[in-house]
Amino acid sequence: MPGWRARIALISPQGETLERTFNVYAPRGVSTNTTKIWFPGPSVEGLVHLSDQLESAAKIFAGWHHDLAMFGCTSGSLVKGVGFDKECIERLEKASGFPALTTSTAVLEGFDKLGMPSTAVLTPYPDETNAAEKKFLEDNGIKVTTIDAIEESPARHRSNTVADGLKQVRRPCIPDLEDTQIYKSVMKMDLSGAQSLFISCAGLDTMEIVEMLETDLGIPVITSCQASLWGALRHCRVGDRMPRYGKLFTL
């Protein structure tokens, strides 16, 4: 029977990266059901619009038993500042009827579990979103030594407004970034004073480079996809250790 260990309801923006993470890397006996919410882009305006859709998305799962509802978006679950991730959790739980978690909450739990109070951060976001993320992390006790954006990120170099997102035009998006581009961007960063590295955005495909980065950098690496899966599994009391996906998965 699918989901005999845990059944997770995943709510995420358009794109297959996080959905693939849960379907490919979750251990045996864990199943995921997914619904998508419309995402005009990672500007502050777009992220607020994304989070406004949480209740309607969660209600899809109401009355159908799941062990956890997961809001799989980093910046979308922190955009309104410290405590917003907890607000999202409360809204999800009320709408769905079962426990909930967000990506940003899982990331904070990952930092706490690793005992790493300082980090360098890499994102694909525009500057205003990076500023919001830096403030959220620091208001939650995480010292951000530097926050850089991936230069090749399409979200970095164009407007991402709600109106812009209404245009039905195929163009490059965050999931189009390859893991080699992410790796090279990390290697350009100044990691002085950082006890860890955080690669933010659940749209970035990072699972296969976490172990490589930890080996090359000599510090723990947290990524949004990795932390989302780790946090969801641990909240469902699934304790599999999978060191290939980083030190976090050994805890």
Side-chain angles (χ1 to χ4, degrees):
M1 181 182 70
W4 53 270
R5 293 177 78 187
R7 182 179 290 121
I8 298 165
L10 177 62
I11 299 168
S12 66
Q14 303 107 307
E16 67 278 2
T17 305
L18 190 60
E19 183 177 20
R20 179 178 180 274
T21 296
F22 275 70
N23 287 328
V24 172
Y25 300 105
R28 183 171 177 261
V30 177
S31 67
T32 303
N33 294 303
T34 308
T35 191
K36 304 291 185 180
I37 47 182
W38 183 69
F39 182 41
S43 66
V44 169
E45 181 187 16
L47 293 166
V48 169
H49 181 79
L50 177 75
S51 66
D52 285 345
Q53 302 171 72
L54 278 181
E55 283 89 349
S56 58
K59 285 177 181 177
I60 293 172
F61 298 104
W64 179 18
H65 172 72
H66 290 78
D67 298 285
L68 186 76
M70 180 81 203
F71 178 28
C73 181
T74 318
S75 51
S77 58
L78 60 77
V79 65
K80 293 185 180 181
V82 65
F84 184 59
D85 60 317
K86 296 180 177 63
E87 177 189 321
C88 290
I89 288 172
E90 292 175 0
R91 290 162 55 192
L92 286 170
E93 290 180 344
K94 184 177 180 180
S96 69
F98 39 86
L101 184 66
T102 78
T103 295
S104 61
T105 314
V107 168
L108 293 177
E109 290 176 354
F111 279 118
D112 183 64
K113 196 72 173 178
L114 289 167
M116 299 294 174
S118 71
T119 190
V121 182
L122 180 69
T123 86
Y125 309 140
D127 291 342
E128 61 170 348
T129 304
N130 278 350
E133 177 149 322
K134 183 176 186 290
K135 185 174 185 341
F136 176 84
L137 292 171
E138 292 189 332
D139 286 348
N140 278 284
I142 307 298
K143 179 182 178 182
V144 177
T145 60
T146 187
I147 183 163
D148 292 351
I150 301 170
E151 276 302 312
E152 297 88 351
S153 171
R156 173 83 173 144
H157 298 292
R158 67 173 175 84
S159 171
N160 285 275
T161 66
V162 173
D164 187 40
L166 287 170
K167 298 174 184 177
Q168 300 299 310
V169 179
R170 177 66 179 95
R171 54 195 165 196
C173 56
I174 289 172
D176 292 329
L177 290 168
E178 297 180 0
D179 55 7
T180 54
Q181 293 173 296
I182 301 168
Y183 179 91
K184 289 177 181 178
S185 293
V186 168
M187 290 303 165
K188 295 176 183 176
M189 296 180 71
D190 178 4
L191 301 179
S192 303
Q195 296 174 303
S196 60
L197 171 69
F198 172 39
I199 303 176
S200 181
C201 187
L204 294 176
D205 189 1
T206 56
M207 293 296 287
E208 294 296 334
I209 60 171
V210 173
E211 184 181 39
M212 184 188 307
L213 285 170
E214 289 191 337
T215 299
D216 292 350
L217 300 176
I219 56 175
V221 174
I222 296 176
T223 80
S224 293
C225 283
Q226 168 223 40
S228 295
L229 180 59
W230 172 81
L233 293 176
R234 296 306 183 257
H235 276 257
C236 292
R237 301 177 67 182
V238 176
D240 290 47
R241 268 56 174 171
M242 299 184 287
R244 180 182 173 189
Y245 308 122
K247 184 176 180 180
L248 192 58
F249 264 106
T250 68
L251 305 173

